[in-house]
Amino acid sequence: MEAVTRNIFLYLSKSSILNTLAQKRGSSLVSGKIIAGTDFRQSIPVIRELNQKGLSTTVDHLGEFVSKPETAIQRTKEAIQTIEMIRKENLVSHMSVKMTSLGLDISDDLVISNMIKILETAEEHDVMITIDMEDETRCGKTLDLFKQFKSQYSCVSTVLQAYLYRTEQDLKDLRPLDPFLRLVKGAYKEPPSVAFPDKKDVDAQYKKLIEQSLTYGLYTAVATHDDQMIEYTKELTERLNIPKDRFEFQMLFGMRNQTQLELAKQGYHVRVYVPYGRDWYGYFMRRLAERPANISFAFKGLFKK
């Protein structure tokens, strides 16, 4: 049943008709609940409130799969403005970017040029930039670019997805760079030729990657809403005597709000992934596909007062 539910939401995430309708009619429904706002300035009070509660954030201007160079350039300018506002407003926040929104599918020269502009600004303002991972067909290219950027900039991190067979080797390959890594289970629909099809195998691989990343001494962000994984990480770090300043938990804005606060009170570093923008529909559907419990968490968030 879980696989069926996942496939339904992944199928819905690709509907251009529903995406257009969501942008026109649904932004007001989810703003402040699933997304922080339709633009970054609208999101600042939300981020500040999270910071005041002891929670860090990483912000993400939603949107991907850009096909026009002028759109990628505009998204780059918007990212630079966001970095500058994070520093100006003294927000405790990183920023996440998707390479396809910056021209990954258009040309190497374009995406590299845009990322350098973003990273130069991030270095100047001391804001970490996380390169989000997308589907498997773009994984290798994204990691190659990350390695190139990491050799030149300290303010760049990336994401590894546990459901891909290749990820354990990717983690080993990245180890010499001493990267800040966000570990996730994975949210795209992938064929069994490249990804574990069964949840139990993904869970086992996720635990393995968490342990490997931490024992390698890498700063590790465990991005999950799964209580089993949260408890596993807590028990593992206690057993291995890994200090709390060497890892963090990451969760989505609008989901598991109480759990976020409880973990922060326990002394764990918690970072909230805060999306904003009108292109929220695909993001939301993939989050629902990731884990059936997210459906409950999401709707609680939508209808909270």
Side-chain angles (χ1 to χ4, degrees):
M1 184 61 189
E2 183 172 319
V4 173
T5 302
R6 174 181 171 83
N7 288 336
I8 289 172
F9 281 113
L10 288 174
Y11 174 79
L12 291 173
S13 73
K14 297 177 181 179
S15 170
S16 59
I17 295 174
L18 291 176
N19 185 44
T20 300
L21 184 63
Q23 290 186 38
K24 289 181 177 179
R25 303 280 182 88
S27 295
S28 60
L29 173 65
V30 299
S31 187
K33 297 175 181 178
I34 300 301
I35 62 172
T38 54
D39 59 36
F40 184 71
R41 191 168 297 281
Q42 196 178 83
S43 307
I44 290 173
V46 174
I47 297 165
R48 182 168 287 116
E49 182 179 358
L50 290 168
N51 289 169
Q52 290 170 348
K53 292 177 179 178
L55 305 171
S56 304
T57 68
T58 184
V59 298
D60 178 18
H61 186 185
L62 295 173
E64 54 199 295
F65 307 126
V66 166
S67 59
K68 296 180 180 179
E70 55 268 28
T71 306
I73 291 169
Q74 180 59 37
R75 294 303 296 267
T76 301
K77 292 178 181 178
E78 292 167 352
I80 289 170
Q81 292 169 355
T82 297
I83 294 166
E84 292 171 342
M85 281 194 281
I86 286 172
R87 186 51 54 229
K88 180 181 178 182
E89 298 291 335
N90 293 315
L91 303 175
V92 184
S93 186
H94 294 176
M95 186 175 74
S96 296
V97 297
K98 288 184 174 59
M99 300 289 268
T100 54
S101 75
L102 304 175
L104 182 70
D105 294 346
I106 301 172
S107 78
D108 290 354
D109 288 344
L110 179 62
V111 72
I112 290 171
S113 172
N114 286 338
M115 274 299 298
I116 286 175
K117 291 173 185 176
I118 290 170
L119 293 173
E120 290 285 349
T121 306
E123 290 273 296
E124 179 184 350
H125 294 286
D126 192 26
V127 174
M128 177 66 76
I129 305 300
T130 298
I131 298 175
D132 275 347
M133 193 56 66
E134 300 177 71
D135 65 299
E136 190 274 339
T137 62
R138 297 171 174 87
C139 180
K141 192 171 184 179
T142 298
L143 289 178
D144 287 344
L145 289 171
F146 168 71
K147 292 171 187 175
Q148 177 181 332
F149 298 138
K150 188 69 174 71
S151 69
Q152 302 172 59
Y153 301 97
S154 61
C155 63
V156 60
S157 61
T158 194
V159 181
L160 292 179
Q161 299 165 310
Y163 68 172
L164 297 180
Y165 301 138
R166 61 172 293 161
T167 300
E168 187 173 357
Q169 185 60 50
D170 287 334
L171 178 57
K172 292 176 181 177
D173 292 343
L174 291 174
R175 181 182 181 183
L177 298 175
D178 190 27
F180 177 138
L181 291 176
R182 179 197 299 158
L183 300 182
V184 303
K185 291 185 182 181
Y188 291 85
K189 183 173 176 57
E190 305 286 5
S193 58
V194 300
F196 294 102
D198 296 329
K199 179 182 181 300
K200 62 179 178 60
D201 294 324
V202 177
D203 287 352
Q205 184 73 349
Y206 193 47
K207 289 181 178 180
K208 186 176 184 180
L209 293 170
I210 292 169
E211 181 169 5
Q212 287 179 335
S213 184
L214 288 168
T215 53
Y216 286 167
L218 307 181
Y219 187 92
T220 305
V222 180
T224 183
H225 294 159
D226 189 333
D227 287 328
Q228 181 186 8
M229 296 302 168
I230 293 169
E231 290 306 312
Y232 170 79
T233 303
K234 291 163 72 173
E235 292 168 4
L236 177 69
T237 53
E238 289 176 11
R239 174 164 53 84
L240 298 179
N241 198 29
I242 295 172
K244 291 179 179 177
D245 63 1
R246 294 301 304 157
F247 69 97
E248 65 184 50
F249 292 106
Q250 293 191 2
M251 296 185 184
L252 302 173
F253 175 66
M255 300 188 195
R256 304 305 305 269
N257 297 343
Q258 192 57 42
T259 300
Q260 295 170 17
L261 295 174
E262 289 171 358
L263 286 169
K265 288 177 182 178
Q266 292 168 15
Y268 293 100
H269 187 189
V270 180
R271 188 175 305 278
V272 183
Y273 188 96
V274 179
Y276 66 94
R278 296 187 181 277
D279 196 10
W280 59 270
Y281 172 78
Y283 155 82
F284 187 42
M285 289 298 106
R286 287 196 299 275
R287 298 296 78 76
L288 298 184
E290 275 182 290
R291 185 167 174 257
N294 283 352
I295 301 171
S296 172
F297 300 148
F299 281 92
K300 284 179 183 177
L302 278 174
F303 295 107
K304 69 182 179 182
K305 293 184 178 180

